[in-house]
Amino acid sequence: MTENGEHSPIQREVSKVKTSVDPKSCKNHNEALKLTARKAEGEISPYQPRPPLLPRLSKSSKSVSVEETVRARRLRNSQESLSDPVETGSSTDSLKEDQTAPGGFVLSDDSPIRTDQDSDARLLSAVTRGSPVFRDRGSSLSEYERRPHSQQSDPTDHRAGPTKLRLSPVQPTGTLPALEKRFASASLGAANRIDRDCLDYAVLAREELGERLHRNLSDSRLLENMGSDSAPVNSMRSSYSVLSPIRPQDVRNRSFLEGSVLGSGALLGAEELDRHFPDRRMGVYVATWNMQGEKGLPTNLDDLLLPTDSKFVQDLYIIGVQEGCPDKKEWETRLQETLGPYYVMLYAASHGVLYLTVFVRRDLIWFCSEVEHATVTTRSISQIKTKGAVGIALTFFGTSFLFITSHFTSGVAKVYERVLDYNKIIEALALPKGLPDTNPYRSTASDVTTRFDQVFWCGDFNFRLCKDRVDVEAIMNRTVGGDMGPLLEHDQLSKEMKDGSIFKGFQEAPIHFLPTYKFDIGCDIYDTTSKQRTPSYTDRILFRSRQADDIKAVKYTSCCSIKTSDHRPVVSVFQVKLRPGRDNIPLGAGQFDRDMYLEGIRRRITRELKRKEAMKNQSSSSSICTIS
């Protein structure tokens, strides 16, 4: 009570809540005090819940009784719980709290309670601060923090302690596990892993070869973010596949019927080309083989089309055959079976026993134009189709291709006749027909090879080595490290190309393999018949481009493992420059030989089942023991 006879603010607040306290609550509080005493004696764990301690009353604090202090504390806690949703409903607040008096100051054994007007003001301030009326929820600073620095109390002053409850620290029972460098969960990493078959081989090839090869997956920009199959995909472009997601608005606005070279909406434009070939280079595999008309085919064509010394397959496969087997359909089916479901047969053409087949990766078929072909016979009688040529033309994006396989006149001394065969083919091969010329200003009506951007010509040209067999074999025995220069000095084709009488504008990759003609069937011995033919480079692959350095030869060799003919197959791998195109060409719209594709898959499945059955029978027979 103050000097003028009025009650202090703390006394008025206590009198308001006096009627709300019943004897049962006091009894519960007395039991809490007993638990506190037991804890002090060591009977209770320091981390078990315990009631807050009551202040020790001094002689000068007679005006504030224990009952009044409890009432004031409960009033303050109830108001703070209603005003602070964070602290509402907490079941752990009773674990440990600061030993504070109702006024907000810390109680200890040597700190008496102040009962003067300053103590009453502190208690009233604590009550009003906890009320929703006086508490400002939009402010991040408390009333104490908004005071001037001069009015703030010393941090070392325990009388201005906080009123917020605190949790007791939990000590670990053992040593903590060491942290790993990779914090992603194992399950998440496994879910986002990409199989190595889907990795773009350009990344690996660039590390070993020191050069940037082309890429040919559906979305190479997404694969820029891939490292290996042991790392999760960092890109979140799509949650379902490695393909880029397509927005509905893009589908609404895009037109595949019109477009320019630089237009974003063109199917064959620059944007689509860069998505599939960021380097604008594709891989082309060319193979030529004189089969000698044998009915029996090799048991396995993997060495011809999928050699083990090549790390990656190519985008386009061109297979030219001279003196092919009688069953052309069987030959094409065997090619499809070997290449598997990754490839589709885009087109196949023939001229008598001359076969030319084109396979393309199935995800690139949408960028091919309609395919055209033409044939030319070089025989005096047109009904005889053993010598001549067959050509296939197509446009891929904005680059036009011409593939030719031919069989020239045979005979060591018939060089002039072979030159005539060449001239007749380039003049009479009627291509292109409906495909537009990508650069008509550089085309010549008398030479079909000038009407296309990239030209590949393979076949049995029948040019020989003008040297006796004994001398040729002696030179072959002296060759070291694949240097065939001394042999090629006597090559008829190389001499005619230098003179400019044949294959004008064409190039050939350096030859580092032995002559491919003529062998005895089934062995690596050259002709042992009475004719004793001189070994020669009759099987060749040449290329021509409108722009310099558009074609780069990566590989040029022979396939020595296939010995069913007197000729060895010759294969070559190229990197070809691509350019964007316009959508004004007749598109192929994904057309391919569907029946051939299904037959090739069926054969692969049957072959695999037979292999597993043979392994099963072998394992079961080896486990049977006989008793004599």
Side-chain angles (χ1 to χ4, degrees), residues 584-625:
N584 58 351
I585 64 174
L587 292 175
Q591 295 179 1
F592 65 96
D593 195 326
R594 178 178 177 272
D595 296 334
M596 187 69 64
Y597 183 79
L598 297 177
E599 178 63 21
I601 294 178
R602 187 191 64 80
R603 288 195 180 190
R604 288 176 68 96
I605 295 175
T606 304
R607 184 179 61 181
E608 184 66 18
L609 292 176
K610 289 182 179 179
R611 186 185 66 84
K612 291 183 178 181
E613 185 68 21
M615 293 178 60
K616 182 179 179 181
N617 295 336
Q618 182 179 1
S619 60
S620 61
S621 61
S622 60
S623 61
I624 298 175
C625 59

Side-chain angles (χ1 to χ4, degrees), residues 184-436:
S185 64
S187 60
L188 180 60
N192 287 335
R193 286 176 185 169
I194 297 298
D195 187 73
R196 293 191 67 86
D197 293 339
C198 298
L199 285 179
D200 192 357
Y201 59 78
V203 179
L204 302 176
R206 187 167 62 250
E207 295 178 356
E208 297 187 3
L209 302 179
E211 60 185 6
R212 185 181 180 87
L213 297 178
H214 66 281
R215 303 190 176 168
N216 46 21
L217 284 183
S218 324
D219 189 5
S220 299
R221 292 179 298 177
L222 172 62
L223 295 177
E224 288 285 348
N225 297 325
M226 294 184 185
S228 64
D229 60 347
S230 61
V233 180
N234 296 325
S235 174
M236 298 301 295
R237 298 170 68 90
S238 175
S239 302
Y240 310 103
S241 68
V242 297
L243 300 178
S244 292
I246 304 176
R247 297 176 299 180
Q249 191 63 28
D250 295 339
V251 179
R252 285 172 173 261
N253 298 335
R254 190 169 185 179
S255 173
F256 292 134
L257 300 180
E258 297 179 0
S260 61
V261 175
L262 301 179
S264 59
L267 173 64
L268 308 178
E271 180 182 0
E272 200 74 20
L273 175 61
D274 293 337
R275 281 187 67 245
H276 293 79
F277 301 95
D279 295 334
R280 296 192 176 184
R281 286 189 176 272
M282 72 178 301
V284 177
Y285 190 99
V286 181
T288 180
W289 184 28
N290 187 322
M291 300 179 65
Q292 202 185 9
E294 292 293 331
K295 295 182 179 181
L297 294 174
T299 57
N300 196 329
L301 296 177
D302 290 344
D303 293 340
L304 175 63
L305 302 178
L306 306 172
T308 56
D309 58 347
S310 295
K311 184 174 294 187
F312 308 106
V313 295
Q314 306 305 316
D315 305 305
L316 207 60
Y317 275 76
I318 314 299
I319 302 98
V321 172
Q322 308 83 43
E323 298 183 15
C325 63
D327 193 350
K328 173 176 173 290
K329 195 72 171 181
E330 177 64 20
W331 166 249
E332 295 169 354
T333 305
R334 291 289 301 276
L335 294 176
Q336 178 70 75
E337 178 186 358
T338 303
L339 292 176
Y342 292 104
Y343 293 86
V344 295
M345 192 176 74
L346 182 65
Y347 202 80
S350 63
H351 176 69
V353 290
L354 287 173
Y355 305 153
L356 185 59
T357 313
V358 178
F359 284 85
V360 64
R361 285 188 59 157
R362 64 185 185 192
D363 49 343
L364 301 176
I365 193 174
W366 306 103
F367 310 104
C368 298
S369 68
E370 291 184 352
V371 185
E372 301 173 345
H373 87 278
T375 61
V376 175
T377 181
T378 56
R379 291 286 192 181
S380 57
I381 303 176
S382 59
Q383 286 76 10
I384 302 176
K385 299 179 180 179
T386 56
K387 296 293 190 293
V390 54
I392 291 179
L394 62 95
T395 300
F396 187 74
F397 281 98
T399 303
S400 57
F401 288 86
L402 174 62
F403 305 104
I404 303 176
T405 184
S406 61
H407 195 182
F408 292 166
T409 303
S410 61
V412 178
K414 296 185 178 181
V415 177
Y416 179 73
E417 287 78 359
R418 287 189 278 272
V419 174
L420 292 179
D421 291 344
Y422 166 79
N423 291 327
K424 184 176 182 179
I425 290 172
I426 63 175
E427 293 178 3
L429 201 61
L431 290 173
K433 299 176 181 179
L435 296 175

